[in-house]
Structure formats: structure tokens, C-alpha cells
Amino acid sequence: PYANGPIHLGHAAGAYIPADIFARYHRTKGNEVLMVSGSDMHGTPITLKADQEKKTPEEIATHYHNLFVDIFQKLGISFDLYTNTHTPNHIAVTQDFFLTLLNKGFIYKDSVLQAWCPKCQRFLTDRYIEGTCPFCSFTEARGDQCDQCGKPMNPVELISARCRLCGEKPEFKESEHFFLKLRAFQEKLIEWIRPKTFWRPNVYNFTLHYLEEGLKDRAITRDMEWGVPIPLPGYEGKRIYVWFDAVIGYLSASKEWAALQQDPERWRQFWQGEAKIYNFIGKDNIVFHTIIWPAMLMGYGGLNLPYDVPANEFMTFEMRKFSKSRNWAVWMPDYLSRYAPDPLRYLLSINMPETTDTDFSWREFYRRNNDELV
């Protein structure tokens, strides 16, 4: 989860409770399980929140990370390790990934048009810029991804772009950045995906359709000062961007866990050989886990790709989409301050959005608890 606001019921139903049920089941069967995650500490959602609250990004991210740890403990999510992406370990693993892909020719430098707000006098990275999606015409698409159709994009592709801070129309200036050569993995990814007919239809079909449209290279750095530093001289004002560093968190968390077990190489039994990796996510994160992260793993070499990516559909709240940014949600700290976790775990399990969107209402919560669980 992004460390820019509390976790809501949609997050719990989308990724964390399904993963917990799966992990508990396999532990009960006697299988060896490593379940890791962590707070996503970087990126513009955090810096936007920091700007709004007149705090540093680190203060904001640390506050919400500590809140997440408390929520997951109270909710009974049985992580073997829950960490974050601002640890020295994660930064080192990310920089190693970056340099390996760079040395193999899968990362290259190029100039890109970057949005510049003449009024704020700053580059507008991703969520600082809003406009109309060129694919589905959603009018509140962000500069990195459209919430409506799920397609990632670059800010220059937005129609009628505007600065989220002041509403000004941005100018586009050239800036040198590092790009991930996604096109190099197009055919390999299609070959890897085609046999995955056991995946959920929404994940399988969405991924295959996206690949068949053709991949575009994507910039993996930004003009900002919060994030993983680029491990090369001359790029002090730029950072490795969050969508590249966040997925590496699965690997860095596994390495951190192994070190805590006093067995630094133990992570290999889950990332090499016969182990199966499952990525539990919400459907808005499919592309990053079925295309971008597998491409990064292919380029790096010697590591297992995901075996399955069970992405849930959305859970709505009173028939409207949960939204951190629009403050429409049932927030987990609020729920846990008033109710025990089990009634919620029961409701979310029996009404989980596995194949279609499902809805949460307080009326249904009371009914399920009083008529069924009790």
C-alpha cells in the first residue's frame, strides 16, 4: 500500500485478506510459506500529501507505515515480514537491479518531454498532473496511469493536462531520463503468458490484450528528490521512480527476512528452483505484476517469475468506488476502533470480489454477522 493515507476495506478485500487465507491454508497443509509485503514509501502520492500537510515526505511515509503495521497486526494478517521501501536494504537491492539492467542494455538514457508548471516553477511528476485519458476519455486521469481503464501512460499523452496544485496548463521541457526497454521483452512475455490459462480470466485476457497492442519503453526516473537515488554520478536531482522500485520490494523483503533469520541466503529457496510465487493484488495493479515486473526479472536473470497473479476486482462502498484521494471509504483504523476483526474477515471472505466487483454496506455487514456468523 502507498504510505499516503490509511488502509480501507477495499485494500483488505483486494489483496491482504486473500493472501492471508492462502498463506494460512498452505501452512496448515505443511507447505513452507514466505509471505512478505511492505509500505510503498516513494512516489508522488506521498510528496503530494507532504505538500498538503507541510511535512517532509519521510515524515508522512513513516507515519502511515507505522499505522499499516498496527492495522495488519490487529486484522490478523500473518506476514512473515512486513517492511517498507525506504530501508537501506531495499535501496541497495533496487540500485543493484538498476545497474544490472543498465549493464545488460535493458536500461538506456534518452531525453523526454517533462511537464513544467510555469506558475509553481517545478517539474510536475505523474500525480502532480491531471487530464483526460487518451484511451478511455476519463477526465481525471493521472500522469502515470488512468484509474478508469488501468492503462499506464506518460504525462505528455494526457489531453487538456493541468497542474494539480494550481490548475495551470503545463509547458513541456526536455529532461534526460533513464528508460526501461520494455519492447525487448515483448515476444518473451507473450510466450510466457500464453500457457497461463489457469490464471483468472480478467488477468489473463487483460495482459494478453495489452501485450498484443505492443509495448512501449517507459521512463523509470523522475525529476524529484524523494526516492531511491540513481547510483551514478551527475543525477543528484533525479530519483528512480516508484513503479520501478516498488515491485523490487518483494525481493528486497525476502532478503531482509533471510538476514533476520541469521541465514542470508535463505531467500534463494523462494526465488530460485521449485518454489511458486503468487502476487496478490487489486486489478488496478495487473500491468505492473504481469508485464513490467516479469520483464524486469527476465532482464535481471536467475530469479523465478510469478507463478500466478490472483488479482481481485474492486469492492465498492454503497455502490461507489473506494477512493483514498476522494476520501470515500471505510477506513480500517475506524473499523478496528469499534469492531472485532472476525466479522469483517467473514464478510469480506464470503463476499470477496474474486471474479466481479462486489459491494460493502453497513446493512449487509450487520446482516451477515447477526444472521450467519453468530
Side-chain angles (χ1 to χ4, degrees):
Y2 261 135
N4 70 323
I7 292 169
H8 56 60
L9 289 197
H11 297 130
Y16 307 113
I17 288 176
D20 189 51
I21 292 168
F22 190 73
R24 286 169 180 270
Y25 167 77
H26 278 284
R27 290 190 195 110
T28 305
K29 275 190 78 175
N31 291 334
E32 196 166 352
V33 173
L34 174 61
M35 177 164 142
V36 296
S37 186
S39 304
D40 200 343
M41 304 284 275
H42 302 135
T44 49
I46 282 95
T47 57
L48 266 173
K49 188 82 170 178
D51 287 345
Q52 289 164 1
E53 297 194 10
K54 306 281 191 292
K55 292 180 179 174
T56 67
E58 186 159 9
E59 285 173 329
I60 292 292
T62 302
H63 167 75
Y64 285 112
H65 168 68
N66 293 335
L67 185 63
F68 295 164
V69 170
D70 183 56
I71 288 167
F72 288 138
Q73 285 175 345
K74 287 176 178 170
L75 196 54
I77 307 297
S78 57
F79 287 119
D80 292 288
L81 178 68
Y82 185 82
T83 181
N84 69 70
T85 61
H86 200 60
T87 64
N89 166 70
H90 176 76
I91 289 168
V93 174
T94 300
Q95 290 177 334
D96 169 61
F97 230 95
F98 177 91
L99 290 172
T100 301
L101 292 177
L102 181 70
N103 293 335
K104 287 187 171 186
F106 296 124
I107 287 176
Y108 64 92
K109 282 186 285 189
D110 198 5
S111 288
V112 61
L113 287 173
Q114 191 87 22
W116 171 267
C117 178
K119 191 171 179 182
C120 298
Q121 288 290 296
R122 65 188 292 175
F123 279 110
L124 303 176
T125 48
D126 298 343
R127 297 199 183 198
Y128 281 90
I129 184 168
E130 223 173 41
T132 301
C133 174
F135 304 104
C136 72
S137 302
F138 180 56
T139 56
E140 294 177 33
R142 305 188 308 256
D144 58 345
Q145 187 180 16
C146 174
D147 275 346
Q148 184 113 315
C149 69
K151 290 198 174 181
M153 68 185 84
N154 293 312
V156 71
E157 296 174 281
L158 283 173
I159 299 162
S160 305
R162 61 192 175 274
C163 171
R164 273 190 68 176
L165 298 174
C166 70
E168 189 80 8
K169 181 181 177 181
E171 301 167 0
F172 284 89
K173 296 183 174 185
E174 288 214 337
S175 180
E176 187 180 67
H177 283 283
F178 289 89
F179 283 71
L180 177 63
K181 197 185 284 184
L182 277 174
R183 289 172 301 168
F185 301 100
Q186 171 101 20
E187 295 309 316
K188 277 186 181 176
L189 284 166
I190 289 177
E191 284 173 29
W192 173 67
I193 291 288
R194 284 206 188 279
K196 304 272 191 243
T197 48
F198 58 89
W199 281 15
R200 290 185 178 171
N202 66 325
V203 180
Y204 183 79
N205 295 332
F206 182 84
T207 303
L208 208 52
H209 179 68
Y210 195 92
L211 280 167
E212 286 166 353
E213 284 184 346
L215 295 180
K216 294 178 185 173
D217 298 348
R218 292 193 71 192
I220 62 165
T221 54
R222 294 291 190 274
D223 292 289
M224 60 193 307
E225 294 178 0
W226 175 244
V228 176
I230 298 169
L232 297 168
Y235 295 96
E236 288 72 21
K238 300 178 193 287
R239 292 290 182 270
I240 294 172
Y241 195 53
V242 65
W243 66 259
F244 183 87
D245 102 82
V247 284
I248 296 171
Y250 303 124
L251 177 63
S252 66
S254 304
K255 290 187 174 186
E256 184 181 338
W257 167 83
L260 291 168
Q261 305 302 305
Q262 310 299 319
D263 187 358
E265 298 301 306
R266 198 171 165 198
W267 63 272
R268 294 185 187 277
Q269 72 185 88
F270 294 98
W271 284 89
Q272 295 168 335
E274 297 300 308
K276 289 178 178 174
I277 296 175
Y278 291 78
N279 293 152
F280 284 83
I281 55 165
K283 69 176 177 182
D284 51 337
N285 270 321
I286 290 174
V287 169
F288 296 99
H289 291 78
T290 63
I291 293 175
I292 291 171
W293 178 225
M296 290 164 62
L297 288 166
M298 286 174 178
Y300 189 85
L303 299 172
N304 291 347
L305 273 61
Y307 172 75
D308 197 358
V309 183
N312 271 359
E313 300 290 306
F314 288 139
M315 174 166 274
T316 54
F317 171 38
E318 304 285 1
M319 307 309 289
R320 280 170 58 191
K321 185 182 171 185
F322 279 96
S323 173
K324 261 190 188 182
S325 57
R326 293 175 182 82
N327 200 29
W328 178 256
V330 177
W331 304 107
M332 289 308 308
D334 175 54
Y335 173 89
L336 290 166
S337 73
R338 292 186 286 133
Y339 302 107
D342 281 350
L344 182 68
R345 287 185 65 118
Y346 173 74
L347 171 60
L348 297 186
S349 299
I350 208 163
N351 191 33
M352 197 172 280
E354 292 183 290
T355 53
T356 57
D357 289 355
T358 59
D359 189 59
F360 174 88
S361 69
W362 288 112
R363 192 182 305 107
E364 180 73 353
F365 172 70
Y366 299 144
R367 188 187 72 75
R368 291 280 192 182
N369 181 74
N370 297 347
D371 296 353
E372 295 176 10
L373 185 61
V374 174

